[in-house]
Amino acid sequence: MQKERVVTDVLNEINNLALSLDGPEPLIKWAIINIPFLVNCEFCSLALVYSDHALINYSSVIDLNSPVFDLFKEKVKQEIRKWANSNSIVWQELNTYIEEDPIDNRKGSLKSLNSFYIFPLEVKDKTLGYITVGSSHKDAFVRFKLNILEIFCNQLALGLRSLLDRNMVIEQSHLLEREKKKVEEEKRRIEAIVGGMKEGLIITDNWENIITINDAALNMLDLHRNLENKFAIDVMLKDLSLEANKNEYNEKIINIGAPKKRIVHIGSTPIFGPDNIFMGRATLLTDITREKEIEQMKSDFVNAVSHELRTPLTSIREIISIIMDGAVGPVNEKQIKCLNTAINDSDRLARIVNDLLNLSKIESGKIKLKRAPVMISQIVNQVMASFELLARNSKIGIINNIPDGLPSIFADPDKIIQILTNLIGNSMKFTPPGGNIIVNCNISGNFVVISVKDTGLGISDEDQKKLFKKFSQLEAGSKHRSGGTGLGLVISRELVEKHGGKIWIESELGKGSAFLFTIPIFNENSAYIDLIQQEIDRVKKEGTDLSLILIDPGYGKELTEENKSHIDYLEKQCKNSMRRKDDLVLVYHNRAIIIIAESSGENGIKLAERIMDSSKIKFDYKIKAYPQDGTAAEELLNKLKNENNR
């Protein structure tokens, strides 16, 4: 009864320790000190076994240097390997405790290990580890002692499981806390870096919601942290997304009109997560106002110098021609040869001056396109005819490969002639005698693609990067350089982009080059879109708003004479209601009126209601505003046509 009472006390103490301790180590130490007392063994071990290692604590009632103790330790490892089915366990032996036997002091008297028993520590079929006991006596562990050990081990396993779980929670909590501090420190560091950037930074998610915006971006866009004026960012980001696939890098230069005029370069880079899933964009804003001002000063200087050079150049050429004609006296062959050289050089200088003036006009926005429906085949024939003599003298074939039945393009014919002249002339320089230049066209979506392909030397990838840069010229062969300013391709690119197209090169060394550009196909809405886009570009520079108002009396496809007179009447009423000379009134397909007015959407409604009040003809109206409803002419016009009437 005394023994039972002691065992009960031991089991109760296990429970109390499991509830009061923060970790398993003190309980393990307490267990291996008490186990020898319960089963009268000389040696005891408690091993916690993990997937690749075992932590073992030992206790002994004899000298640690005893050979029998070494035998016991080796036996423990052998048995655990068998029970755990592993030969690759890494052993970590912890502190070994010596407990004096209060009954029989047997230090140094043991010579062999005659009794050994191993018992698993299991909770719900999951093994935590093993308890092993050893003795020098044969049959030392009688059944009732092993029963006591089994009860002890079961209770100990529950206590250890509780402590290990609690310890794991504490460790995880500490780990999470450390990770949280690490993340917060990293966040503070990134915020410090981003906040200190001179450039503006806006990070948006997949739905264009703003995640991060730094002070530089807020200042550039004149916003506050509460983003009350967030539509400015929406417009800017929408501008980018309209012009490129969301998975591509895109860049653009925008003008911001308030509180002071700024020119900002914006570059938007897609952000991808795991499995290449699109997650958002990082948009970098760089204030390039000063750089543009310097560039403008350079352009103004070049423009002024070019203008000043044009008059004396014309005078010089005329005087040389007069001398060559013998008007001021006879000239010999040597003199004529020198004068011819002077004329050629003055012509070359005149071309340089004209290129500089053309580029200056394009960049300053002074060149306006006079777009109309144009047959591309007529333009190609005209340009190729101008190169026939040069091609024949250079022994180069020019092949017109334009198919029949192409639709009309919507373009300024003079500018398309200029583009083709630049591209064919450029190909002539790089095509050796016996080669060919082929002009071809095909349709891609709403565009005609025009290509000028040669069988010349080809252009390396490195040189292709220089082609559309100002004053950049390539070697036109190993023996000579091409003449000119290197502005032909730059001017061509500017003119193509003004038409809403793109220009690019496809080339391979030794296999020739092809310059390709796109021009939009003419359709019913092309003229309207062009006019609207011009107005959008104008107000964008000035930092103001624009409204499109569709005045629709609801006439069907078949127009009567009375309907036509009503349209004429509405056109006059609309024009009389305009308060700005730049506002446009257009008759739309002879059935409605489109007003392009420099005003906000709210003021556009007031304008439409003012026209309605003064009109004797009833009509419905629709309104779309830039930049709130869209940033491109085609987008706004489509929305205007598809929205329900007011």
Side-chain angles (χ1 to χ4, degrees), residues 317 320 337-351:
R317 196 187 192 289
I320 294 173
K337 187 176 181 180
C338 292
L339 291 171
N340 272 327
T341 301
I343 279 188
N344 289 335
D345 284 345
S346 64
D347 286 344
R348 186 164 66 87
L349 188 55
R351 288 195 297 271

Side-chain angles (χ1 to χ4, degrees), residues 8 12 105 110 195 207 242 259 282 337 398 453 502 510 557 601:
T8 303
N12 288 334
N105 189 342
L110 302 180
W207 297 275
L242 282 171
K337 187 176 181 180
I398 299 184
K453 181 177 175 61
K502 293 182 179 180
K557 292 184 179 179

Side-chain angles (χ1 to χ4, degrees), residues 56 58 71-83 86 89 91-93 116 132:
I56 308 178
Y58 294 102
L71 287 174
F72 173 73
K73 291 172 65 176
E74 199 57 42
K75 180 73 171 173
V76 168
K77 294 176 183 178
Q78 290 175 4
E79 291 297 319
I80 290 177
R81 279 196 188 98
K82 288 192 295 184
W83 280 65
S86 175
I89 293 177
W91 304 98
Q92 293 178 288
E93 298 183 9
F116 184 88
T132 53

Side-chain angles (χ1 to χ4, degrees), residues 309-327:
L309 286 174
R310 176 179 275 182
T311 301
L313 270 174
T314 304
S315 177
I316 290 169
R317 196 187 192 289
E318 288 299 319
I319 291 171
I320 294 173
S321 297
I322 290 170
I323 294 171
M324 288 182 67
D325 291 341

